[in-house]
Amino acid sequence: MMSPKVSDEHKEQRRRQLLDAAERVFIRKGYESATMKDFVEEAEMSRGWIYLYFSSKEEIFAAIVERMDADNTKQVENQLAQSSSMWETVAALLDQQKEDLAESSSSMASVMYEYFISGWRSEERKAQLAGRYASGFGIFTTLIEKGIERGEFKPTLSVPLIAKIIAAQLDGILTHTLAVGHEQAEVENQIDALIAYSKQLLGVVHP
């Protein structure tokens, strides 16, 4: 007797359920301490179901990061649709970091920090980090270039350098937040200062 065919929709639902469970485990236990057994128990699935989708913790982590990146891309697109200017988009995305950083110690941000710091000797992780770095300042590069095309920005430095400065500042604020906490890192003040500095670097013509 043939086993019933599982629909694609059901498979995708199971996959989301597994990734949601794995994300909770990573946040609770950290990357290094989390195990496939933890994911099985948290998702309340059989090991067979989990290994149908992923063969390792590394694959699950990569899938969660990919989902986060897709959500971030959607956030940028939504902000572009809602904003009347490119500067408004840039400022709003930076301002959103106040809320994101307030939750950083209990989000995947702390797990990703652990992943890259603990694996800094790994060539694979270094390559992944380089890719994420390029992606991070790539978003700002695109926004700045669009602002220049529209005549909204007259930057004082090269576009790639400004994008790297913004991305590096955000990474630094995240590191401070994870190290000493949101309040002591003065996240709101740092972000406000970064917004003001970014406006100066971009030479905003239409604020």
Side-chain angles (χ1 to χ4, degrees):
M1 183 176 177
M2 294 181 64
S3 58
K5 190 174 182 180
V6 180
S7 69
D8 290 339
E9 182 180 352
H10 183 67
K11 287 180 180 178
E12 181 56 30
Q13 181 182 357
R14 285 280 188 163
R15 187 177 186 275
R16 286 197 302 269
Q17 180 184 344
L18 169 57
L19 292 180
D20 289 344
E23 185 170 330
R24 292 193 298 271
V25 171
F26 278 132
I27 292 171
R28 188 169 65 244
K29 299 190 66 173
Y31 179 81
E32 299 299 341
S33 297
T35 66
M36 292 293 280
K37 181 174 181 292
D38 293 327
F39 304 149
V40 169
E41 293 174 354
E42 184 75 21
E44 298 182 340
M45 292 183 185
S46 68
R47 292 184 69 87
W49 262 108
I50 289 185
Y51 282 99
L52 179 66
Y53 298 101
F54 303 103
S55 62
S56 66
K57 176 172 74 172
E58 290 75 16
E59 284 189 10
I60 292 176
F61 181 77
I64 292 173
V65 172
E66 182 180 350
R67 185 171 69 168
M68 290 170 55
D69 289 343
D71 289 342
N72 289 336
T73 298
K74 188 177 295 184
Q75 180 186 3
V76 173
E77 291 172 348
N78 290 341
Q79 191 60 56
L80 275 169
Q82 296 169 14
S83 301
S84 59
S85 70
M86 294 309 300
W87 169 245
E88 186 179 331
T89 298
V90 172
L93 290 173
L94 291 175
D95 196 65
Q96 175 63 36
Q97 294 299 309
K98 294 177 183 178
E99 183 178 332
D100 294 344
L101 288 165
E103 302 170 354
S104 59
S105 61
S106 58
S107 72
M108 282 297 294
S110 61
V111 184
M112 293 177 68
Y113 182 81
E114 175 195 352
Y115 176 80
F116 288 118
I117 292 299
S118 65
W120 70 273
R121 292 180 184 274
S122 164
E123 291 302 321
E124 181 180 358
R125 292 196 196 181
K126 284 166 67 175
Q128 291 172 348
L129 182 58
R132 292 200 60 74
Y133 176 72
S135 174
F137 76 75
I139 292 173
F140 287 106
T141 297
T142 300
L143 295 176
I144 295 169
E145 288 175 343
K146 285 185 177 181
I148 294 173
E149 290 171 8
R150 297 182 185 185
E152 296 181 26
F153 300 154
K154 291 186 177 179
T156 59
L157 297 173
S158 72
V159 172
L161 180 55
I162 293 174
K164 289 174 183 177
I165 289 171
I166 294 173
Q169 289 296 314
L170 289 175
D171 284 346
I173 296 171
L174 171 61
T175 301
H176 293 171
T177 304
L178 293 174
V180 301
H182 183 268
E183 184 175 347
Q184 191 171 346
E186 296 190 62
V187 168
E188 284 80 7
N189 290 337
Q190 287 210 59
I191 293 295
D192 287 341
L194 177 58
I195 291 173
Y197 183 43
S198 298
K199 186 176 182 180
Q200 178 185 342
L201 289 175
L202 292 172
V204 177
V205 177
H206 301 296

